[in-house]
Amino acid sequence: MLFSLTTQELMERPDLWEAVHRLRYKIFVEEMGWSDLQRPDGLEIDQFDHDEAVHQIVIRNGELAGYQRMLPTTRPHLLTEVLADLFEGTPPCGPNVWELTRYAVAPGFRDGKRGVSTVGTELIAGFVEWGLSRNVNQVIIEFEPMWVLRALQLHFLAKPLGYQRTYGNQQVVATLLTFNEHTLQVVRSRRNYSASVLAKGYPDRLGLRRAS
């Protein structure tokens, strides 16, 4: 299940807060080579972990398995403030457009076919469900160009906002993804799982494994 927490809610759970920021450091600094984010404490924290950010978390067997952060485009966000060379013209914004950032699947949970793990598809289904329930039908995401095709295969309308650039050791392109109920049904079909992935409240404390 996917839990959506505000920054304040995340901070009220120190185990989750530390796990989230360590996973982000592992993925974006150590794996992707974004050296500007290096810190001696091994935590990746930035100015966009503000009070309007939404942190979406997938827990599997007592461990943080996946994470992504949603940012409103009605205030400064990653694309406009840090990655401005990734868009041409004026980037889309509005209450129906959010930016999806820091998408991360923990190393031990990268199963699945075609490079998309089951945790990864749960994150995708989660932001679509979350968005549709809040009249959000578009997200901006900065990812590798191959993900544009993958998004189209899941029936997102995918529109690159500029040219691809090199960040760390990977190519990145800013893309606007538009989705609807049909997109959600396609994602669920690909996952072979038709129920909602959204959970309420907090997950169990990390390290606690559910009995099978």
Side-chain angles (χ1 to χ4, degrees):
M1 300 298 287
L2 181 142
F3 297 84
S4 295
L5 304 176
T6 65
T7 298
Q8 182 59 42
E9 289 171 334
L10 184 63
M11 293 176 66
E12 290 172 359
R13 277 286 302 273
D15 59 326
L16 286 177
W17 185 91
E18 181 172 349
V20 159
H21 293 293
R22 288 201 182 281
L23 177 61
R24 282 168 39 172
Y25 195 91
K26 169 71 175 175
I27 302 302
F28 292 96
V29 178
E30 296 179 359
E31 293 189 5
M32 296 186 180
W34 291 23
S35 58
D36 289 348
L37 302 177
Q38 285 184 338
R39 290 167 52 114
D41 59 7
L43 302 173
E44 194 281 297
I45 303 168
D46 67 12
Q47 67 266 40
F48 305 109
D49 292 311
H50 51 60
D51 58 353
E52 291 187 72
V54 176
H55 305 267
Q56 298 187 333
I57 297 168
V58 173
I59 305 295
R60 293 281 176 87
N61 203 22
E63 296 182 51
L64 177 63
Y67 170 84
Q68 61 198 6
R69 180 182 63 186
M70 309 298 294
L71 299 174
T73 62
T74 50
R75 61 183 288 175
H77 51 284
L78 191 67
L79 183 65
T80 58
E81 304 305 300
V82 178
L83 304 176
D85 60 340
L86 286 179
F87 67 86
E88 299 292 320
T90 302
C93 66
N96 69 310
V97 185
W98 283 59
E99 184 181 37
L100 191 160
T101 67
R102 299 304 193 255
Y103 173 94
V105 176
F109 297 91
R110 296 175 185 172
D111 59 314
K113 300 178 180 178
R114 300 179 184 177
V116 184
S117 67
T118 54
V119 169
T121 58
E122 187 166 337
L123 288 166
I124 294 169
F127 85 72
V128 174
E129 280 192 57
W130 177 89
L132 293 176
S133 69
R134 290 163 174 76
N135 296 316
V136 173
N137 70 332
Q138 293 182 314
V139 297
I140 296 168
I141 183 169
E142 300 85 19
F143 52 19
E144 293 179 282
M146 66 180 180
W147 278 93
V148 176
L149 176 58
R150 290 176 179 172
L152 290 169
Q153 291 170 337
L154 291 173
H155 289 218
F156 290 90
L157 290 178
K159 178 184 177 182
L161 299 176
Y163 301 103
Q164 67 182 39
R165 308 286 186 187
T166 301
Y167 282 89
N169 54 24
Q170 69 173 177
Q171 294 289 305
V172 178
V173 60
T175 305
L176 178 69
L177 301 182
T178 302
F179 53 90
N180 54 26
E181 289 286 348
H182 173 69
T183 312
L184 179 59
Q185 295 308 313
V186 171
V187 173
R188 285 175 169 174
S189 175
R190 300 291 174 87
R191 300 186 70 239
N192 293 317
Y193 188 84
S194 60
S196 172
V197 301
L198 299 183
K200 296 181 180 180
Y202 281 111
D204 291 337
R205 189 162 299 279
L206 297 183
L208 296 179
R209 297 173 180 265
R210 290 183 177 273
S212 58

